[in-house]
Coordinates of all heavy atoms in Angstrom, one line a residue:
M1 N 102.6 78.9 110.3 CA 102.2 80.1 109.6 C 102.1 79.9 108.1 O 103.0 79.3 107.6 CB 103.3 81.3 109.9 CG 102.9 82.6 109.3 SD 104.0 84.0 109.7 CE 103.2 84.3 111.3
T2 N 101.0 80.3 107.6 CA 101.0 79.9 106.1 C 101.6 80.9 105.2 O 102.0 82.0 105.7 CB 99.4 79.7 105.7 OG1 98.8 81.1 105.8 CG2 98.7 78.9 106.6
F3 N 101.9 80.5 104.0 CA 102.4 81.4 103.0 C 101.6 82.7 102.9 O 102.2 83.8 102.8 CB 102.6 80.7 101.6 CG 103.2 81.7 100.6 CD1 104.6 81.9 100.7 CD2 102.5 82.3 99.6 CE1 105.2 82.7 99.7 CE2 103.1 83.1 98.6 CZ 104.4 83.3 98.8
Q4 N 100.2 82.5 103.0 CA 99.4 83.7 102.8 C 99.6 84.6 104.0 O 99.7 85.9 103.8 CB 98.0 83.3 102.8 CG 97.1 84.6 102.4 CD 95.7 84.1 102.3 OE1 95.3 83.0 102.5 NE2 94.7 85.0 102.1
Q5 N 99.8 84.2 105.3 CA 100.0 84.9 106.3 C 101.4 85.8 106.1 O 101.5 86.9 106.6 CB 99.9 84.2 107.6 CG 98.6 83.7 108.0 CD 98.6 82.7 109.2 OE1 99.5 81.8 109.3 NE2 97.5 82.9 110.0
I6 N 102.4 84.9 105.7 CA 103.6 85.5 105.5 C 103.6 86.7 104.6 O 104.1 87.7 104.7 CB 104.7 84.5 105.1 CG1 104.9 83.4 106.3 CG2 106.0 85.1 104.8 CD1 105.7 82.2 105.8
S7 N 102.9 86.4 103.4 CA 102.8 87.5 102.4 C 101.9 88.7 102.9 O 102.4 89.9 102.6 CB 102.0 87.0 101.3 OG 102.8 85.9 100.6
Q8 N 101.0 88.5 103.8 CA 100.3 89.7 104.3 C 101.1 90.4 105.3 O 101.1 91.7 105.3 CB 99.0 89.1 105.0 CG 97.9 88.6 104.1 CD 96.8 88.0 104.9 OE1 96.9 87.7 106.1 NE2 95.7 87.6 104.2
R9 N 102.1 89.8 106.1 CA 102.8 90.4 107.0 C 103.7 91.4 106.1 O 104.0 92.5 106.5 CB 103.7 89.5 107.7 CG 104.6 90.2 108.7 CD 105.4 89.3 109.6 NE 104.6 88.7 110.4 CZ 105.0 87.7 111.3 NH1 106.4 87.4 111.2 NH2 104.3 87.0 112.1
A10 N 104.5 90.8 105.1 CA 105.4 91.5 104.3 C 104.5 92.8 103.6 O 105.1 93.9 103.5 CB 106.0 90.7 103.2
S11 N 103.4 92.5 103.1 CA 102.6 93.4 102.6 C 102.2 94.7 103.5 O 102.4 95.9 103.2 CB 101.3 92.9 102.0 OG 100.5 93.8 101.5
G12 N 102.1 94.3 104.8 CA 101.7 95.3 105.8 C 102.9 96.1 106.1 O 102.8 97.4 106.1
Y13 N 104.2 95.5 106.1 CA 105.4 96.2 106.3 C 105.7 97.2 105.1 O 106.2 98.3 105.4 CB 106.5 95.3 106.4 CG 106.7 94.5 107.7 CD1 107.1 93.3 107.6 CD2 106.4 95.1 109.0 CE1 107.3 92.5 108.9 CE2 106.4 94.6 110.2 CZ 106.9 93.2 110.1 OH 107.1 92.5 111.3
L14 N 105.3 96.7 103.9 CA 105.7 97.6 102.8 C 104.6 98.8 102.9 O 105.0 100.0 102.5 CB 105.5 96.8 101.4 CG 106.6 95.9 101.2 CD1 106.3 95.3 99.8 CD2 107.8 96.8 100.9
K15 N 103.4 98.6 103.1 CA 102.4 99.8 103.2 C 102.9 100.7 104.3 O 102.8 101.8 104.2 CB 101.0 99.1 103.6 CG 100.4 98.4 102.4 CD 99.0 97.9 102.7 CE 98.4 97.1 101.5 NZ 97.1 96.6 101.8
T16 N 103.3 100.3 105.5 CA 103.8 101.0 106.5 C 104.9 101.9 106.1 O 105.0 103.1 106.2 CB 104.2 100.3 107.7 OG1 102.9 99.6 108.1 CG2 104.7 101.2 108.8
A17 N 105.9 101.3 105.5 CA 107.1 102.1 104.9 C 106.6 103.0 103.8 O 107.1 104.2 103.9 CB 108.0 101.0 104.2
E18 N 105.7 102.7 103.0 CA 105.2 103.8 102.0 C 104.6 105.0 102.8 O 104.7 106.2 102.5 CB 104.2 103.1 101.0 CG 104.9 102.2 100.1 CD 103.9 101.4 99.3 OE1 102.7 101.5 99.5 OE2 104.2 100.5 98.4
T19 N 103.8 104.6 103.9 CA 103.1 105.7 104.5 C 104.1 106.7 105.3 O 104.0 107.9 105.2 CB 102.1 105.1 105.5 OG1 101.2 104.3 104.9 CG2 101.4 106.2 106.5
L20 N 105.2 106.0 105.9 CA 106.2 106.8 106.5 C 107.0 107.6 105.5 O 107.2 108.8 105.7 CB 107.1 105.8 107.3 CG 106.5 105.1 108.5 CD1 107.5 104.1 108.9 CD2 106.3 106.2 109.5
L21 N 107.2 107.2 104.3 CA 107.9 107.9 103.3 C 107.1 109.1 103.0 O 107.5 110.2 102.7 CB 108.4 106.9 102.2 CG 109.6 106.2 102.4 CD1 109.7 105.3 101.2 CD2 110.8 106.9 102.7
R22 N 105.8 108.9 102.7 CA 104.9 110.0 102.3 C 104.9 111.0 103.4 O 105.0 112.3 103.1 CB 103.5 109.5 101.8 CG 103.3 108.9 100.6 CD 101.9 108.8 100.3 NE 101.1 108.0 101.2 CZ 101.0 106.7 101.2 NH1 101.5 106.1 100.4 NH2 100.2 106.1 102.0
A23 N 104.8 110.6 104.6 CA 104.7 111.7 105.7 C 106.0 112.4 105.7 O 106.2 113.6 105.9 CB 104.6 110.8 107.0
A24 N 107.2 111.6 105.6 CA 108.5 112.4 105.6 C 108.7 113.4 104.5 O 109.2 114.4 104.7 CB 109.6 111.3 105.3
Q25 N 108.0 113.2 103.3 CA 108.1 114.2 102.3 C 107.4 115.4 102.5 O 107.7 116.4 101.9 CB 107.6 113.4 100.8 CG 108.5 112.4 100.4 CD 107.9 111.7 99.3 OE1 106.7 111.7 99.0 NE2 108.7 110.8 98.7
T26 N 106.3 115.3 103.4 CA 105.6 116.6 103.7 C 106.2 117.3 105.0 O 105.6 118.4 105.1 CB 104.2 116.1 104.0 OG1 104.1 115.4 105.2 CG2 103.5 115.3 102.8
M27 N 107.1 116.7 105.5 CA 107.6 117.3 106.7 C 108.6 118.6 106.4 O 109.3 118.5 105.6 CB 108.6 116.3 107.6 CG 107.7 115.4 108.3 SD 107.0 116.0 109.6 CE 105.6 114.9 109.9
S28 N 108.4 119.6 107.2 CA 109.3 120.7 107.1 C 110.4 120.5 107.9 O 111.5 121.3 107.7 CB 108.6 122.1 107.4 OG 108.0 122.2 108.6
D29 N 110.3 119.9 109.1 CA 111.4 119.6 110.0 C 112.3 118.5 109.5 O 111.8 117.4 109.4 CB 110.8 119.3 111.4 CG 111.9 119.2 112.5 OD1 113.0 118.9 112.1 OD2 111.6 119.5 113.5
R30 N 113.5 118.8 109.1 CA 114.4 117.9 108.5 C 114.8 116.7 109.5 O 114.9 115.6 109.0 CB 115.6 118.4 107.9 CG 115.4 119.4 106.8 CD 116.5 119.1 105.7 NE 116.3 119.8 104.6 CZ 115.9 119.2 103.3 NH1 115.6 117.9 103.2 NH2 115.9 120.0 102.3
A31 N 114.9 116.9 110.7 CA 115.3 115.9 111.6 C 114.2 114.9 111.7 O 114.4 113.7 111.8 CB 115.5 116.5 113.0
I32 N 112.9 115.3 111.8 CA 111.7 114.4 112.0 C 111.7 113.5 110.6 O 111.4 112.4 110.5 CB 110.5 115.2 112.3 CG1 110.5 115.8 113.7 CG2 109.2 114.1 112.1 CD1 109.4 116.6 114.1
A33 N 111.8 114.3 109.5 CA 111.7 113.6 108.1 C 112.9 112.5 108.1 O 112.6 111.5 107.6 CB 111.9 114.7 107.0
G34 N 114.1 112.8 108.6 CA 115.1 111.8 108.5 C 114.7 110.6 109.5 O 115.1 109.5 109.1
H35 N 114.1 110.8 110.6 CA 113.6 109.9 111.6 C 112.6 109.0 110.9 O 112.6 107.6 110.8 CB 113.1 110.2 112.9 CG 114.2 110.7 113.7 ND1 115.2 109.9 114.3 CD2 114.5 112.0 114.1 CE1 115.8 110.6 115.1 NE2 115.5 111.9 115.0
L36 N 111.6 109.7 110.1 CA 110.6 108.8 109.4 C 111.2 107.9 108.3 O 110.8 106.8 108.1 CB 109.6 109.7 108.9 CG 108.8 110.5 109.9 CD1 107.7 111.5 109.2 CD2 107.8 109.4 110.6
K37 N 112.1 108.6 107.5 CA 112.9 107.8 106.4 C 113.6 106.5 107.0 O 113.6 105.6 106.5 CB 113.7 108.8 105.7 CG 113.0 109.7 104.8 CD 113.9 110.6 104.0 CE 113.1 111.5 103.3 NZ 114.0 112.6 102.5
A38 N 114.3 106.8 108.1 CA 114.9 105.7 108.8 C 114.0 104.5 109.2 O 114.2 103.3 108.9 CB 115.8 106.2 110.1
H39 N 112.8 104.9 109.8 CA 111.9 103.9 110.0 C 111.4 103.2 108.9 O 111.1 102.0 108.9 CB 110.7 104.5 110.8 CG 111.0 104.9 112.2 ND1 111.4 103.9 113.3 CD2 111.1 106.2 112.9 CE1 111.6 104.5 114.3 NE2 111.5 105.8 114.3
A40 N 111.0 104.0 107.8 CA 110.5 103.4 106.6 C 111.6 102.3 105.9 O 111.3 101.4 105.5 CB 110.4 104.5 105.5
D41 N 112.9 102.8 106.0 CA 114.0 101.9 105.6 C 113.8 100.5 106.3 O 114.0 99.5 105.9 CB 115.4 102.4 105.6 CG 115.4 103.5 104.6 OD1 114.9 103.6 103.6 OD2 116.5 104.4 104.9
D42 N 113.7 100.6 107.7 CA 113.6 99.4 108.6 C 112.4 98.6 108.1 O 112.6 97.3 108.1 CB 113.5 99.9 110.1 CG 113.4 98.8 111.0 OD1 114.4 97.8 111.0 OD2 112.5 98.7 111.8
Y43 N 111.4 99.2 107.9 CA 110.1 98.4 107.5 C 110.3 97.8 106.2 O 109.9 96.5 105.9 CB 108.8 99.2 107.5 CG 108.3 99.3 108.9 CD1 108.4 100.4 109.7 CD2 107.4 98.3 109.3 CE1 107.8 100.5 111.0 CE2 106.9 98.4 110.6 CZ 107.0 99.4 111.4 OH 106.6 99.5 112.7
Q44 N 111.0 98.4 105.2 CA 111.3 97.8 104.0 C 112.3 96.6 104.2 O 112.0 95.5 103.5 CB 112.0 98.8 103.1 CG 110.9 99.7 102.4 CD 111.6 100.8 101.6 OE1 112.8 101.2 101.8 NE2 110.9 101.3 100.6
R45 N 113.2 96.7 105.1 CA 114.2 95.5 105.3 C 113.3 94.4 106.0 O 113.5 93.2 105.5 CB 115.2 96.0 106.3 CG 116.5 96.7 105.6 CD 117.6 96.8 106.5 NE 117.3 97.6 107.7 CZ 117.3 98.9 107.6 NH1 117.6 99.6 106.6 NH2 117.1 99.6 108.8
R46 N 112.3 94.7 106.7 CA 111.6 93.7 107.5 C 110.7 92.9 106.4 O 110.6 91.8 106.5 CB 110.7 94.3 108.6 CG 111.4 94.7 109.8 CD 110.5 95.3 110.6 NE 111.1 95.8 111.8 CZ 110.4 96.1 113.0 NH1 109.2 95.8 113.2 NH2 111.2 96.7 114.0
A47 N 110.3 93.8 105.4 CA 109.4 93.2 104.5 C 110.2 92.2 103.6 O 109.6 91.2 103.1 CB 108.8 94.2 103.5
E48 N 111.4 92.6 103.2 CA 112.2 91.7 102.3 C 112.7 90.5 103.2 O 112.8 89.4 102.6 CB 113.4 92.6 101.9 CG 113.1 93.7 101.0 CD 114.2 94.6 100.7 OE1 115.3 94.4 101.3 OE2 113.9 95.5 100.0
K49 N 113.0 90.8 104.5 CA 113.6 89.6 105.2 C 112.6 88.8 105.9 O 112.8 87.5 106.0 CB 114.5 90.2 106.4 CG 115.2 89.2 107.3 CD 116.1 89.8 108.3 CE 115.3 90.4 109.4 NZ 116.2 90.8 110.5
G50 N 111.5 89.2 106.3 CA 110.4 88.5 106.9 C 110.0 87.2 106.4 O 110.0 86.1 107.0
P51 N 109.7 87.2 105.1 CA 109.1 85.9 104.5 C 110.1 84.9 104.6 O 109.9 83.6 104.9 CB 108.8 86.4 103.2 CG 108.5 87.7 103.1 CD 109.5 88.3 104.2
H52 N 111.5 85.1 104.5 CA 112.5 84.2 104.5 C 112.8 83.6 106.0 O 112.8 82.4 106.2 CB 113.8 84.7 104.0 CG 113.7 85.3 102.6 ND1 113.5 84.5 101.5 CD2 113.9 86.4 102.1 CE1 113.5 85.1 100.3 NE2 113.7 86.4 100.8
V53 N 112.7 84.4 106.9 CA 112.8 84.1 108.3 C 111.7 83.2 108.8 O 111.9 82.1 109.3 CB 113.0 85.3 109.2 CG1 113.0 84.9 110.7 CG2 114.2 86.0 108.8
D54 N 110.3 83.7 108.5 CA 109.1 83.0 108.8 C 109.1 81.6 108.2 O 108.8 80.6 108.7 CB 108.0 83.7 108.4 CG 107.8 85.0 109.3 OD1 108.5 85.0 110.5 OD2 107.0 85.9 109.0
A55 N 109.5 81.5 106.9 CA 109.5 80.1 106.2 C 110.7 79.2 106.9 O 110.4 78.1 107.0 CB 109.8 80.5 104.7
A56 N 111.7 79.8 107.2 CA 112.8 79.0 107.7 C 112.3 78.4 109.1 O 112.5 77.3 109.5 CB 114.1 79.8 108.0
K57 N 111.7 79.3 110.0 CA 111.1 78.8 111.2 C 110.1 77.7 111.0 O 110.0 76.8 111.8 CB 110.5 80.0 111.9 CG 111.7 80.9 112.6 CD 111.0 82.0 113.4 CE 112.0 83.1 113.9 NZ 111.3 84.3 114.6
A58 N 109.2 77.9 110.1 CA 108.1 77.0 109.9 C 108.8 75.8 109.3 O 108.2 74.7 109.8 CB 107.1 77.4 108.7
F59 N 109.8 75.7 108.6 CA 110.5 74.5 108.2 C 111.1 73.8 109.4 O 111.0 72.5 109.4 CB 111.5 74.8 107.1 CG 112.3 73.7 106.7 CD1 111.8 72.7 105.8 CD2 113.6 73.4 107.1 CE1 112.6 71.6 105.4 CE2 114.4 72.3 106.8 CZ 113.8 71.4 106.0
V60 N 111.7 74.5 110.2 CA 112.4 73.9 111.4 C 111.1 73.2 112.3 O 111.4 72.1 112.7 CB 113.2 74.9 112.2 CG1 113.6 74.3 113.4 CG2 114.4 75.4 111.4
R61 N 110.1 73.9 112.5 CA 109.2 73.3 113.3 C 108.5 72.0 112.6 O 108.3 70.9 113.3 CB 108.0 74.3 113.5 CG 108.3 75.3 114.5 CD 107.0 76.1 115.0 NE 106.3 76.8 113.7 CZ 106.6 78.0 113.4 NH1 107.4 78.8 114.1 NH2 106.1 78.6 112.3
S62 N 108.3 72.0 111.3 CA 107.7 71.0 110.5 C 108.8 69.8 110.7 O 108.4 68.6 110.9 CB 107.7 71.4 109.1 OG 107.3 70.3 108.4
A63 N 110.1 70.0 110.5 CA 111.0 69.0 110.6 C 111.2 68.3 112.0 O 111.3 67.1 112.2 CB 112.4 69.5 110.1
A64 N 110.9 69.2 113.0 CA 111.0 68.6 114.3 C 109.7 67.8 114.6 O 109.8 66.8 115.2 CB 111.1 69.8 115.3
N65 N 108.6 68.2 114.1 CA 107.4 67.5 114.3 C 107.6 66.1 113.5 O 107.2 65.1 114.1 CB 106.2 68.2 113.7 CG 105.9 69.4 114.7 OD1 106.1 69.4 115.8 ND2 105.2 70.3 114.1
A66 N 108.1 66.2 112.3 CA 108.2 65.0 111.5 C 109.2 63.9 112.2 O 109.0 62.8 112.4 CB 108.7 65.3 110.2
E67 N 110.2 64.5 112.8 CA 111.2 63.7 113.5 C 110.6 63.0 114.7 O 110.8 61.9 115.0 CB 112.4 64.5 114.0 CG 113.5 63.7 114.6 CD 114.8 64.6 115.0 OE1 115.1 65.4 114.3 OE2 115.3 64.4 116.1
G68 N 109.8 63.8 115.4 CA 109.0 63.2 116.6 C 108.0 62.1 116.2 O 108.0 61.2 116.9
E69 N 107.5 62.2 115.1 CA 106.6 61.2 114.7 C 107.3 60.0 114.2 O 106.8 58.9 114.3 CB 105.7 61.8 113.5 CG 104.8 62.8 113.9 CD 103.9 63.5 112.6 OE1 104.3 63.0 111.6 OE2 103.4 64.5 113.0
W70 N 108.5 60.1 113.6 CA 109.4 59.0 113.2 C 109.8 58.2 114.4 O 109.9 57.0 114.3 CB 110.5 59.5 112.5 CG 110.3 59.4 110.9 CD1 109.4 60.1 110.3 CD2 111.1 58.6 110.1 NE1 109.4 59.7 109.0 CE2 110.5 58.7 108.8 CE3 112.2 57.9 110.1 CZ2 111.1 58.2 107.6 CZ3 112.8 57.2 109.1 CH2 112.2 57.4 107.8
C71 N 110.1 58.9 115.4 CA 110.7 58.1 116.6 C 109.7 57.4 117.4 O 110.1 56.7 118.2 CB 111.4 59.3 117.5 SG 112.8 60.0 116.8
T72 N 108.4 57.7 117.2 CA 107.4 57.0 118.1 C 106.9 55.8 117.4 O 107.1 55.5 116.4 CB 106.2 57.9 118.3 OG1 105.7 58.4 117.3 CG2 106.7 59.0 119.3

């Protein structure tokens, strides 16, 4: 996964969080608004955490591939 793909994923999560927050602000039902805000918080966490996790996985795959090439 390239850095650009990782950035696009994080950007998508942030856009989704913003959309959920806007929808929550227009809700008259507090329970539904609370659920939307909770989902928005989850997407914000994913946006913050995602690039780090994806980069770590890519590094592990890269290291494993390099090790395999060294052993042959």
Side-chain angles (χ1 to χ4, degrees):
M1 181 171 282
T2 66
F3 181 74
Q4 183 178 4
Q5 290 170 322
I6 293 168
S7 296
Q8 288 174 347
R9 179 183 293 178
S11 177
Y13 285 146
L14 286 175
K15 286 180 184 177
T16 301
E18 291 169 0
T19 301
L20 289 169
L21 285 174
R22 277 195 307 274
Q25 291 171 348
T26 64
M27 288 284 155
S28 58
D29 186 328
R30 291 228 180 249
I32 293 173
H35 286 290
L36 290 174
K37 287 180 183 178
H39 285 297
D41 290 342
D42 181 51
Y43 275 99
Q44 285 177 328
R45 278 191 299 279
R46 289 180 188 200
E48 294 167 0
K49 182 175 79 169
H52 303 294
V53 171
D54 289 340
K57 287 179 182 177
F59 176 75
V60 168
R61 279 193 304 269
S62 175
N65 289 338
E67 183 178 319
E69 292 173 7
W70 259 61
C71 293
T72 57

